[in-house]
Amino acid sequence: MEVFGLFASIVPPQARLQVSSRFNQQHSQRHIVPDIVYSDPRCGGARRLLEVKTLGHTVAEHTAAALAQVGTRGAPRIRPVDRRAAKVGPEYVDHARTIDSALYAAGVPSPPAGAMGPAEQRLRSYDRIQPLVWGHLACGSDDVHQLVDVAGDAI
């Protein structure tokens, strides 16, 4: 179930219409909506945003060149699910910064130079964004396996 409204309170009521209309013109998704919010019992209840992604069997993800990516000195190759998982956190940060830009354009005061905007601050108030990526052959990213371990320990 997607978690709506986590970032809604950062948009003042007087700016909501302007921000919404700007996003309707520029973006298909105007809010940050994680799939799950959860507290990790192994980390003292640290709050995490979980984002579920799936990969189909696409040429871009499963070409010989993509599968043959090897690190220096024969380090193990990066699986497509882990490659996709690595992109989720930066995508969230970019989206938060875009929301902040829309807020400033709508008249919300900008923070001092070098400071984070309200959307990015809210995003970073969570311990981490944990991407749960499933591949077409039921393979899961490293975070999927970590979550399975947590669930197993809780049983």
Side-chain angles (χ1 to χ4, degrees), residues 41-58:
R42 299 171 304 165
C43 301
R47 297 179 321 143
R48 296 194 172 167
L49 301 177
L50 278 62
E51 180 66 24
V52 179
K53 300 289 184 192
T54 58
L55 286 181
H57 184 67
T58 63

Side-chain angles (χ1 to χ4, degrees), residues 6 12 66 77-78 99 101 104 114 120 142:
L6 285 179
R77 67 178 171 221
I78 300 171
I99 290 171
S101 294
Y104 307 145
E120 188 175 356
D142 289 339

Side-chain angles (χ1 to χ4, degrees), residues 13-14 22 35 38 62 108 128 134 138:
Q14 67 274 14
R22 181 171 179 198
D35 292 308
Y38 115 108
H62 295 89
V108 173
R128 73 181 281 240
W134 294 95

Side-chain angles (χ1 to χ4, degrees), residues 26-145:
Q26 297 178 358
H27 303 282
S28 60
Q29 184 181 0
R30 59 188 150 196
H31 306 289
I32 296 175
V33 184
D35 292 308
I36 302 166
V37 176
Y38 115 108
S39 296
D40 189 338
R42 299 171 304 165
C43 301
R47 297 179 321 143
R48 296 194 172 167
L49 301 177
L50 278 62
E51 180 66 24
V52 179
K53 300 289 184 192
T54 58
L55 286 181
H57 184 67
T58 63
V59 174
E61 292 293 339
H62 295 89
T63 62
L67 293 174
Q69 286 186 357
V70 177
T72 58
R73 305 212 184 263
R77 67 178 171 221
I78 300 171
R79 301 176 306 151
V81 290
D82 292 320
R83 215 173 21 256
R84 176 64 183 105
K87 296 176 184 177
V88 172
E91 289 170 354
Y92 261 68
V93 172
D94 287 346
H95 195 109
R97 290 177 178 160
T98 301
I99 290 171
D100 287 336
S101 294
L103 289 171
Y104 307 145
V108 173
S110 299
M116 291 183 281
E120 188 175 356
Q121 284 179 9
R122 176 72 51 89
L123 178 64
R124 293 187 187 273
S125 73
Y126 291 89
D127 179 55
R128 73 181 281 240
I129 300 159
Q130 189 168 350
L132 306 174
V133 183
W134 294 95
H136 77 285
L137 295 174
C139 59
S141 62
D142 289 339
D143 285 312
V144 167
H145 295 285

